[in-house]
Amino acid sequence: MNDWDYVNFSQDHEMNYHLDLVSKSQSIKNRAYLRDNTQWTAKNTLDKTILTHGEFKPFVNADKPYLDDPQ
């Protein structure tokens, strides 16, 4: 796999990509939620330290109710 196959949680544009996939606001609050909650849920559930975009997507979708809609 290539480096770009993995989610870089420090990059806003990568968090925005996942927020866009679920039609949620690309806000600071939503990016923080993905980093502070969704990331750890996914890593702990999958027992991994790094995640691919494909592995992360279902967890973002599951957390969709907790993310703000676009204004």
XYZ file of all heavy atoms in Angstrom:
597
model
N 0.829 -1.183 0.000
C 0.000 0.000 0.000
C 0.875 1.249 0.000
O 1.990 1.226 0.490
C -0.907 0.029 1.228
C -2.101 -0.830 1.112
S -3.332 -0.317 2.321
C -4.425 -1.676 2.132
N 0.302 2.305 -0.502
C 1.001 3.576 -0.516
C 0.621 4.400 0.699
O -0.422 4.175 1.318
C 0.637 4.357 -1.795
C 1.162 3.673 -3.025
O 2.331 3.346 -3.118
N 0.285 3.440 -3.980
N 1.444 5.385 1.001
C 1.213 6.271 2.138
C -0.156 6.945 2.067
O -0.825 7.121 3.076
C 2.335 7.314 2.204
C 2.246 8.168 3.440
O 2.102 7.602 4.531
O 2.310 9.406 3.302
N -0.596 7.304 0.861
C -1.874 8.014 0.717
C -3.082 7.106 0.941
O -4.204 7.582 1.005
C -1.980 8.734 -0.622
C -1.826 7.850 -1.825
C -2.775 7.042 -2.369
C -0.668 7.682 -2.620
N -2.281 6.384 -3.454
C -0.972 6.756 -3.639
C 0.624 8.216 -2.585
C -0.056 6.361 -4.595
C 1.537 7.818 -3.545
C 1.189 6.902 -4.523
N -2.870 5.810 1.072
C -3.963 4.889 1.389
C -4.370 4.978 2.860
O -5.450 4.530 3.231
C -3.567 3.447 1.073
C -3.400 3.196 -0.414
O -4.170 3.775 -1.201
O -2.487 2.424 -0.780
N -3.490 5.547 3.674
C -3.728 5.617 5.110
C -4.243 6.992 5.513
O -3.874 8.002 4.926
C -2.437 5.308 5.879
C -1.971 3.902 5.639
C -0.979 3.630 4.702
C -2.545 2.834 6.317
C -0.566 2.332 4.458
C -2.138 1.530 6.079
C -1.144 1.288 5.152
O -0.753 0.006 4.909
N -5.078 7.022 6.539
C -5.627 8.281 7.034
C -4.562 8.981 7.871
O -4.010 8.401 8.800
C -6.878 8.042 7.900
C -7.443 9.365 8.386
C -7.933 7.256 7.142
N -4.299 10.242 7.521
C -3.412 11.088 8.315
C -4.315 12.021 9.116
O -4.827 13.003 8.593
C -2.463 11.870 7.412
C -1.467 12.694 8.193
O -1.690 13.011 9.357
N -0.382 13.050 7.556
N -4.511 11.705 10.373
C -5.475 12.419 11.197
C -5.054 13.849 11.510
O -5.886 14.655 11.931
C -5.755 11.635 12.482
C -6.503 10.367 12.221
C -5.834 9.160 12.053
C -7.880 10.376 12.103
C -6.530 7.991 11.790
C -8.592 9.214 11.839
C -7.908 8.022 11.680
N -3.808 14.192 11.278
C -3.359 15.561 11.531
C -3.668 16.500 10.361
O -3.536 17.711 10.501
C -1.857 15.588 11.841
O -1.119 15.210 10.696
N -4.097 15.953 9.246
C -4.374 16.761 8.060
C -5.865 17.108 7.972
O -6.712 16.221 7.851
C -3.958 16.010 6.791
C -2.474 15.741 6.689
C -1.689 17.028 6.507
O -2.099 17.916 5.755
N -0.570 17.123 7.197
N -6.157 18.417 8.020
C -7.552 18.859 7.928
C -8.217 18.374 6.647
O -9.377 17.968 6.662
C -7.638 20.386 7.986
C -7.435 20.931 9.385
O -7.459 20.150 10.364
O -7.263 22.166 9.494
N -7.481 18.411 5.532
C -8.098 18.024 4.256
C -8.515 16.553 4.255
O -9.494 16.186 3.592
C -7.200 18.355 3.059
C -5.969 17.519 2.958
N -5.934 16.349 2.238
C -4.733 17.676 3.486
C -4.714 15.824 2.328
N -3.972 16.612 3.086
N -7.837 15.715 5.005
C -8.235 14.307 5.082
C -9.486 14.139 5.939
O -10.366 13.332 5.625
C -7.086 13.444 5.595
C -5.926 13.452 4.607
C -5.134 12.179 4.592
O -5.594 11.146 5.108
O -4.025 12.223 4.018
N -9.586 14.911 7.004
C -10.803 14.878 7.818
C -11.976 15.446 7.007
O -13.085 14.908 7.033
C -10.628 15.671 9.112
C -9.545 15.140 10.041
S -9.837 13.454 10.635
C -8.887 12.482 9.463
N -11.719 16.520 6.252
C -12.756 17.115 5.409
C -13.249 16.124 4.359
O -14.443 16.081 4.056
C -12.240 18.380 4.732
C -12.096 19.536 5.701
O -12.660 19.529 6.788
N -11.332 20.526 5.300
N -12.354 15.335 3.815
C -12.726 14.319 2.822
C -13.774 13.367 3.410
O -14.804 13.088 2.789
C -11.478 13.551 2.365
C -11.772 12.281 1.612
C -12.200 12.324 0.288
C -11.620 11.042 2.220
C -12.473 11.156 -0.412
C -11.887 9.867 1.533
C -12.308 9.935 0.212
O -12.592 8.767 -0.470
N -13.519 12.894 4.619
C -14.447 11.946 5.249
C -15.754 12.630 5.653
O -16.824 12.023 5.547
C -13.778 11.243 6.429
C -12.809 10.201 5.984
N -13.219 8.956 5.573
C -11.463 10.231 5.830
C -12.152 8.245 5.192
N -11.087 9.006 5.350
N -15.678 13.871 6.072
C -16.901 14.607 6.394
C -17.744 14.830 5.146
O -18.966 14.720 5.182
C -16.559 15.940 7.057
C -15.980 15.817 8.467
C -15.371 17.128 8.902
C -17.047 15.353 9.446
N -17.095 15.112 4.044
C -17.801 15.316 2.775
C -18.502 14.034 2.330
O -19.615 14.089 1.798
C -16.822 15.804 1.704
C -17.522 16.228 0.432
O -18.467 17.040 0.515
O -17.117 15.750 -0.651
N -17.895 12.898 2.572
C -18.495 11.616 2.182
C -19.833 11.370 2.872
O -20.691 10.681 2.325
C -17.542 10.455 2.493
C -16.292 10.334 1.638
C -15.410 9.202 2.165
C -16.643 10.101 0.180
N -19.996 11.925 4.071
C -21.247 11.737 4.803
C -22.080 13.018 4.839
O -23.009 13.149 5.636
C -20.999 11.190 6.241
C -20.424 9.786 6.193
C -20.120 12.128 7.044
N -21.738 13.965 3.970
C -22.478 15.234 3.813
C -22.599 16.015 5.117
O -23.661 16.523 5.467
C -23.868 14.968 3.235
O -23.768 14.310 2.002
N -21.491 16.098 5.839
C -21.465 16.855 7.086
C -20.548 18.062 6.948
O -19.676 18.120 6.072
C -20.995 15.967 8.250
C -21.983 14.878 8.601
C -23.296 15.470 9.086
C -24.300 14.426 9.502
N -25.489 15.008 10.105
N -20.731 19.020 7.829
C -19.963 20.262 7.808
C -18.474 19.987 8.025
O -18.101 19.192 8.884
C -20.475 21.191 8.908
O -19.670 22.335 9.008
N -17.662 20.680 7.243
C -16.212 20.564 7.392
C -15.727 21.579 8.425
O -14.842 22.381 8.184
C -15.534 20.771 6.037
C -15.905 19.719 5.026
C -15.285 19.960 3.665
O -14.529 20.891 3.451
N -15.607 19.098 2.723
N -16.304 21.500 9.602
C -16.023 22.459 10.669
C -14.903 21.963 11.581
O -14.576 20.768 11.611
C -17.287 22.685 11.508
O -17.643 21.494 12.172
N -14.365 22.905 12.335
C -13.335 22.566 13.322
C -13.899 21.549 14.317
O -13.234 20.579 14.685
C -12.843 23.835 14.040
C -12.069 24.731 13.064
C -11.985 23.481 15.243
C -11.765 26.118 13.595
N -15.142 21.774 14.733
C -15.784 20.881 15.705
C -15.908 19.456 15.164
O -15.609 18.487 15.865
C -17.163 21.432 16.056
C -17.922 20.606 17.061
C -19.294 21.210 17.323
C -20.135 20.295 18.172
N -21.515 20.789 18.297
N -16.348 19.314 13.918
C -16.501 17.977 13.332
C -15.152 17.304 13.116
O -15.016 16.096 13.346
C -17.274 18.050 12.020
C -18.766 18.162 12.233
O -19.272 18.032 13.333
N -19.494 18.418 11.161
N -14.158 18.069 12.669
C -12.818 17.466 12.504
C -12.283 16.989 13.850
O -11.700 15.907 13.954
C -11.858 18.457 11.841
C -12.158 18.689 10.378
C -11.044 19.448 9.678
N -10.825 20.778 10.223
C -11.416 21.890 9.766
N -12.282 21.832 8.752
N -11.129 23.066 10.306
N -12.506 17.778 14.888
C -12.056 17.387 16.230
C -12.775 16.124 16.689
O -12.157 15.241 17.305
C -12.296 18.531 17.213
N -14.072 16.016 16.384
C -14.820 14.809 16.766
C -14.222 13.572 16.092
O -14.045 12.530 16.742
C -16.306 14.947 16.417
C -17.116 13.834 17.029
C -17.676 13.986 18.286
C -17.277 12.613 16.372
C -18.394 12.958 18.880
C -17.991 11.584 16.951
C -18.547 11.756 18.207
O -19.229 10.726 18.794
N -13.911 13.692 14.805
C -13.313 12.551 14.102
C -11.979 12.168 14.718
O -11.669 10.982 14.856
C -13.126 12.868 12.619
C -14.385 13.044 11.770
C -13.993 13.288 10.317
C -15.312 11.858 11.882
N -11.191 13.161 15.089
C -9.869 12.888 15.673
C -9.974 12.359 17.102
O -9.230 11.444 17.481
C -9.028 14.165 15.655
C -8.585 14.578 14.288
C -7.777 15.869 14.338
N -7.316 16.208 13.006
C -7.556 17.380 12.417
N -8.225 18.329 13.034
N -7.097 17.609 11.196
N -10.854 12.964 17.884
C -10.915 12.646 19.315
C -11.780 11.440 19.651
O -11.595 10.826 20.700
C -11.438 13.850 20.105
C -10.517 15.061 20.006
O -9.328 14.892 19.654
O -10.992 16.178 20.279
N -12.726 11.118 18.795
C -13.655 10.025 19.100
C -13.634 8.922 18.047
O -13.316 7.778 18.366
C -15.081 10.581 19.248
C -15.190 11.528 20.417
O -15.156 11.105 21.557
N -15.302 12.815 20.139
N -13.973 9.278 16.834
C -14.111 8.268 15.778
C -12.800 7.525 15.532
O -12.793 6.299 15.382
C -14.620 8.913 14.474
O -15.754 9.734 14.774
C -14.999 7.858 13.451
N -11.701 8.265 15.514
C -10.390 7.641 15.284
C -10.126 6.535 16.305
O -9.738 5.422 15.943
C -9.284 8.705 15.374
C -7.899 8.131 15.397
C -6.807 9.161 15.578
O -5.662 8.835 15.349
N -7.091 10.381 15.977
N -10.369 6.831 17.585
C -10.040 5.873 18.640
C -11.013 4.705 18.666
O -10.605 3.578 18.939
C -9.956 6.589 19.987
C -8.921 7.670 19.899
C -9.133 9.016 19.950
C -7.526 7.493 19.632
N -7.950 9.688 19.747
C -6.942 8.776 19.545
C -6.712 6.388 19.441
C -5.593 8.983 19.287
C -5.359 6.592 19.183
C -4.810 7.864 19.117
N -12.257 4.963 18.343
C -13.224 3.869 18.246
C -12.785 2.889 17.157
O -12.773 1.671 17.366
C -14.629 4.407 17.926
O -15.029 5.289 18.968
C -15.634 3.273 17.789
N -12.408 3.432 16.001
C -11.987 2.587 14.883
C -10.716 1.817 15.225
O -10.635 0.608 15.001
C -11.780 3.440 13.632
N -9.734 2.505 15.760
C -8.454 1.848 16.076
C -8.629 0.770 17.137
O -8.058 -0.314 17.030
C -7.425 2.885 16.524
C -6.887 3.711 15.370
C -5.848 4.710 15.843
C -5.242 5.451 14.670
N -4.201 6.402 15.105
N -9.417 1.062 18.161
C -9.631 0.064 19.222
C -10.454 -1.117 18.731
O -10.153 -2.266 19.063
C -10.302 0.720 20.431
C -9.363 1.644 21.173
O -8.152 1.473 21.138
N -9.918 2.643 21.827
N -11.477 -0.853 17.946
C -12.322 -1.925 17.424
C -11.537 -2.846 16.496
O -11.668 -4.072 16.567
C -13.534 -1.336 16.675
O -14.291 -0.544 17.591
C -14.420 -2.432 16.095
N -10.729 -2.234 15.629
C -9.963 -3.014 14.650
C -8.616 -3.484 15.197
O -7.907 -4.235 14.524
C -9.751 -2.185 13.377
C -11.030 -1.769 12.639
C -10.693 -0.813 11.506
C -11.773 -2.990 12.121
N -8.263 -3.034 16.398
C -6.981 -3.355 17.023
C -5.819 -3.000 16.097
O -4.948 -3.826 15.814
C -6.930 -4.836 17.425
C -5.793 -5.134 18.392
O -5.375 -4.214 19.133
O -5.313 -6.293 18.401
N -5.833 -1.744 15.619
C -4.801 -1.251 14.715
C -4.295 0.098 15.190
O -5.010 0.824 15.890
C -5.358 -1.090 13.296
C -5.694 -2.393 12.614
C -6.086 -2.142 11.183
C -5.978 -3.438 10.402
N -5.902 -3.184 8.983
N -3.086 0.437 14.785
C -2.540 1.750 15.120
C -2.641 2.720 13.952
O -2.593 3.929 14.160
C -1.065 1.641 15.567
O -0.316 1.004 14.527
C -0.959 0.829 16.852
N -2.744 2.208 12.734
C -2.969 3.045 11.566
C -4.142 2.473 10.780
O -4.389 1.267 10.815
C -1.710 3.177 10.666
C -1.241 1.810 10.176
C -0.596 3.904 11.386
C -0.129 1.884 9.144
N -4.869 3.368 10.103
C -6.073 2.956 9.393
C -6.027 3.392 7.942
O -5.527 4.469 7.629
C -7.303 3.609 10.032
C -7.577 3.317 11.493
C -8.671 4.237 12.013
C -7.960 1.869 11.679
N -6.600 2.574 7.084
C -6.786 2.993 5.700
C -8.085 3.794 5.631
O -8.918 3.730 6.540
C -6.892 1.792 4.740
O -8.089 1.065 5.046
C -5.675 0.884 4.823
N -8.247 4.522 4.540
C -9.482 5.277 4.354
C -10.681 4.334 4.327
O -11.735 4.643 4.892
C -9.412 6.111 3.063
C -8.445 7.251 3.183
N -8.759 8.425 3.813
C -7.167 7.378 2.757
C -7.719 9.238 3.772
N -6.743 8.619 3.146
N -10.526 3.188 3.697
C -11.610 2.211 3.629
C -12.011 1.666 4.989
O -13.188 1.405 5.245
N -11.045 1.492 5.866
C -11.340 1.005 7.218
C -12.029 2.073 8.060
O -12.879 1.769 8.901
C -10.043 0.574 7.920
C -9.423 -0.653 7.327
C -8.012 -0.921 7.831
O -7.298 0.041 8.214
O -7.612 -2.104 7.818
N -11.668 3.331 7.830
C -12.184 4.435 8.628
C -13.612 4.840 8.226
O -14.420 5.237 9.079
C -11.235 5.632 8.511
C -11.532 6.767 9.443
C -11.626 6.570 10.808
C -11.698 8.053 8.959
C -11.890 7.621 11.677
C -11.963 9.119 9.816
C -12.053 8.900 11.173
N -13.935 4.718 6.946
C -15.230 5.185 6.425
C -16.441 4.651 7.180
O -17.346 5.416 7.524
C -15.362 4.855 4.936
C -14.555 5.746 4.047
C -14.668 5.316 2.584
C -13.659 6.033 1.733
N -13.712 5.593 0.334
N -16.529 3.346 7.471
C -17.723 2.856 8.183
C -17.887 3.467 9.575
O -19.004 3.655 10.042
C -17.504 1.343 8.282
C -16.428 1.017 7.323
C -15.631 2.258 7.094
N -16.796 3.816 10.214
C -16.859 4.412 11.546
C -17.327 5.860 11.472
O -18.064 6.324 12.346
C -15.503 4.296 12.249
C -15.165 2.880 12.606
C -14.417 2.097 11.737
C -15.622 2.313 13.782
C -14.128 0.774 12.043
C -15.340 0.995 14.107
C -14.592 0.225 13.236
N -16.917 6.570 10.421
C -17.406 7.927 10.205
C -18.905 7.876 9.946
O -19.676 8.661 10.511
C -16.669 8.616 9.034
C -17.256 9.990 8.755
C -15.170 8.725 9.318
N -19.326 6.941 9.133
C -20.753 6.794 8.838
C -21.547 6.472 10.114
O -22.636 7.000 10.332
C -20.966 5.717 7.780
C -22.343 5.788 7.174
O -22.780 6.855 6.747
N -23.034 4.669 7.138
N -20.999 5.634 10.961
C -21.677 5.282 12.215
C -21.797 6.479 13.155
O -22.761 6.585 13.915
C -20.934 4.143 12.909
N -20.833 7.398 13.088
C -20.841 8.577 13.960
C -21.554 9.769 13.328
O -21.595 10.855 13.918
C -19.408 8.976 14.333
C -18.849 8.119 15.455
O -19.616 7.323 16.046
O -17.648 8.242 15.747
N -22.147 9.566 12.174
C -22.831 10.642 11.461
C -23.843 11.392 12.339
O -23.911 12.622 12.273
C -23.505 10.058 10.215
C -24.019 11.056 9.248
C -24.539 10.349 7.987
C -25.189 11.347 7.061
N -25.685 10.716 5.833
N -24.617 10.721 13.203
C -25.576 11.459 14.048
C -24.919 12.456 15.007
O -25.572 13.376 15.491
C -26.297 10.361 14.830
C -26.085 9.115 14.044
C -24.756 9.277 13.364
N -23.651 12.281 15.301
C -22.951 13.154 16.253
C -22.262 14.323 15.573
O -21.683 15.181 16.254
C -21.919 12.332 17.046
C -22.528 11.123 17.694
C -22.254 9.849 17.211
C -23.419 11.254 18.765
C -22.837 8.728 17.801
C -24.008 10.138 19.348
C -23.704 8.895 18.860
O -24.286 7.792 19.438
N -22.307 14.368 14.251
C -21.625 15.415 13.489
C -22.630 16.470 13.022
O -23.768 16.152 12.694
C -20.914 14.793 12.274
C -19.865 13.740 12.613
C -19.445 12.995 11.354
C -18.659 14.371 13.299
N -22.184 17.719 13.005
C -23.056 18.820 12.599
C -23.263 18.846 11.101
O -22.334 18.560 10.324
C -22.442 20.163 13.024
C -22.409 20.339 14.536
O -23.247 19.715 15.232
O -21.555 21.097 15.005
N -24.487 19.203 10.717
C -24.815 19.390 9.306
C -24.246 20.710 8.804
O -24.015 21.631 9.603
C -26.332 19.407 9.103
C -26.958 18.042 9.321
O -26.328 17.039 8.942
O -28.077 17.987 9.856
N -24.054 20.834 7.483
C -23.607 22.120 6.930
C -24.647 23.208 7.210
O -25.839 22.923 7.273
C -23.498 21.867 5.429
C -23.480 20.391 5.266
C -24.192 19.825 6.455
N -24.176 24.418 7.370
C -25.076 25.565 7.631
C -25.712 26.030 6.345
O -25.204 26.106 5.339
C -24.311 26.713 8.272
C -23.758 26.335 9.633
C -24.826 26.099 10.696
O -25.926 26.630 10.600
N -24.518 25.283 11.669
